[in-house]
Amino acid sequence: MSRLTPNSSVGGLSNEAQVHPATRDGSPSPSEKTVQSSSTAVSTQSRRGMRKYLQAIGRFIVDQWFIVGMAVLIAISSQVQVPDSQQHLRQTIVTYLCVSIIFFFTGCTLPTRVLLENYSKWKVHAFVQAQCFLLTSATVFAVVSAVATSHFLDPGIIIGFIFLGSLPTTLSSNVVMTGQAHGNTALTVVQVTIGNFLGPLISPLLITMYTSTGAWYDSFLPDSRGGFGGVYRRVFKQLGLSVYLPMVAGQIVQNVFPRITKKVLIEKKFIKVNSFALLIIIWQTFDQAFATGAFTSVPPSNIIFMVFISIVFYFIWLSISFFASLPWLPKKDIIAVCYCVPAKTPAIGVPLSNVMYVGLTTLQGSKIQIPMVIFQGLQILAGSLFTIVYRRWVRPDEEREEAERKKEHEGHVPQEGEAC
């Protein structure tokens, strides 16, 4: 009986072949299989990670498509503008048509009872309007007065910021974004209508007060002040035709055809037309600014400062309005307040700058309007991003209210064995 040596074979196979029986036909060894499986696992994890990353980007773009659309329209308006001969016609059509669409659909979706209840909240109205006019104008005047000591900013820019701080809240974007953020849209509608009704009366008085200090930056303003009659007629005409009339029409449609209105606007999501109308309003504002050469009329350092200080103003006003509202207002009302207080409307500021001071050149008028245009873009960008934050903030309350409604509904369903 022979002994097996280390190099002897069993069944015709060497020890080396017995350890790695698959190496002779070219197939991978167990160690190679382990390496390959590890590499495959890493590759699969990498693909999954990339897929999740792309899905997250896609969800953000879908959720914030408004910001993407706004960026595209601003880029287009910087390269191609409506001819000068058509600027007034474009502004008139967009201002009346798009604002009317927003307030008509808003009227179709707001219950009349809720709207009337919010008009009766006079403490909230006084709270919001005092911040919109007094707080914001005083803040701006304090900052620009400090900056003016260095003669760094163009005087037209300083006057433009004084205009900005003295303006009422904006009309369209507040209503659209409060709805997107699940805030109290009815309260926002009430605040913007009150604010823009008071704006033509209060804003000129504030601007006159802040520009009558004898500072160096208001020396270029003409001594002859324009009458405000034209501003009043224009603003109240716009409010009547593009806000109040469409709102009343929407209320009538909602009460006459409640099921059809709910199905078309809510279930079919036709209410998103409001967002498209707002995008057109933003486009026409920047189209006018680029067409007049407003952004090229001041040094780049002034533009950078305007962007920076506008962001600072927005967050100061937002923080004050939020923390001042927190102790006594419900969350949905706080969201409405936080959209109304920091926002400013160029719809009144631009025509007001044209008629308050008779004799300004086109370039001087454009410089006054630049802060309003820049601030509008920034406030819409910030407001759109904050819709995500606000929705998450009110979601627990909404889920609790929905659970209570379901529980109450189930409580009315007869149990088995009970008489109906």
Side-chain angles (χ1 to χ4, degrees), residues 34-290:
T34 303
V35 172
Q36 290 178 357
S37 60
S38 301
S39 177
T40 303
V42 171
S43 178
T44 303
Q45 291 177 354
S46 177
R47 286 196 298 269
R48 288 177 179 174
M50 180 61 68
R51 189 181 299 113
K52 290 182 179 179
Y53 179 74
L54 293 176
Q55 288 174 349
I57 294 177
R59 285 194 300 268
F60 178 81
I61 293 176
V62 171
D63 188 63
Q64 296 298 312
W65 64 269
F66 186 88
I67 296 178
V68 177
M70 184 178 71
V72 171
L73 289 177
I74 292 176
I76 292 174
S77 63
S78 67
Q79 301 300 316
V80 181
Q81 296 88 39
V82 174
D84 293 340
S85 60
Q86 304 296 323
Q87 282 285 333
H88 180 71
L89 177 62
R90 185 257 318 144
Q91 182 179 3
T92 302
I93 293 175
V94 171
T95 300
Y96 282 92
L97 179 61
C98 292
V99 176
S100 298
I101 289 173
I102 290 174
F103 279 89
F104 172 74
F105 287 130
T106 301
C108 288
T109 55
L110 285 179
T112 305
R113 177 183 55 81
V114 174
L115 196 60
L116 294 177
E117 286 177 357
N118 281 273
Y119 266 108
S120 65
K121 297 179 178 179
W122 62 270
K123 291 183 180 180
V124 181
H125 306 333
F127 174 72
V128 171
Q129 301 307 324
Q131 292 184 81
C132 286
F133 289 107
L134 303 181
L135 169 68
T136 58
S137 64
T139 306
V140 169
F141 183 69
V143 172
V144 298
S145 297
V147 175
T149 58
S150 64
H151 292 245
F152 166 67
L153 282 179
D154 187 285
I157 300 299
I158 296 178
I159 299 298
F161 271 115
I162 292 176
F163 267 82
L164 174 69
S166 304
L167 294 176
T169 188
T170 189
L171 280 169
S172 308
S173 60
N174 282 351
V175 176
V176 174
M177 292 185 183
T178 302
Q180 293 175 348
H182 297 187
N184 188 348
T185 307
L187 182 60
T188 299
V189 170
V190 172
Q191 296 304 327
V192 301
T193 53
I194 293 175
N196 283 267
F197 182 84
L198 297 174
L201 305 174
I202 298 178
S203 295
L205 298 177
L206 292 173
I207 294 169
T208 301
M209 179 180 69
Y210 290 129
T211 57
S212 300
T213 59
W216 66 271
Y217 54 77
D218 59 23
S219 60
F220 76 98
L221 297 175
D223 294 332
S224 57
R225 305 293 171 88
F228 299 142
V231 179
Y232 296 155
R233 286 192 297 271
R234 183 184 186 280
V235 171
F236 290 133
K237 178 183 177 182
Q238 179 180 346
L239 285 175
L241 295 179
S242 61
V243 175
Y244 296 121
L245 185 60
M247 178 70 71
V248 171
Q251 288 287 292
I252 293 173
V253 170
Q254 177 195 167
N255 286 281
V256 175
F257 308 104
R259 292 184 179 179
I260 297 176
T261 303
K262 182 179 179 180
K263 182 176 181 179
V264 173
L265 296 182
I266 306 301
E267 296 177 7
K268 301 296 184 182
K269 299 186 183 299
F270 201 70
I271 193 67
K272 286 186 176 292
V273 171
N274 277 5
S275 299
F276 289 104
L278 181 58
L279 283 175
I280 297 176
I281 294 174
I282 297 169
W283 162 79
Q284 73 94 15
T285 302
F286 280 89
D287 180 86
Q288 180 179 353
F290 283 113

Side-chain angles (χ1 to χ4, degrees), residues 388-400:
I388 304 173
V389 179
Y390 292 140
R391 284 200 301 265
R392 291 179 179 176
W393 186 44
V394 300
R395 185 176 299 158
D397 292 351
E398 292 178 333
E399 292 175 351
R400 183 172 60 254

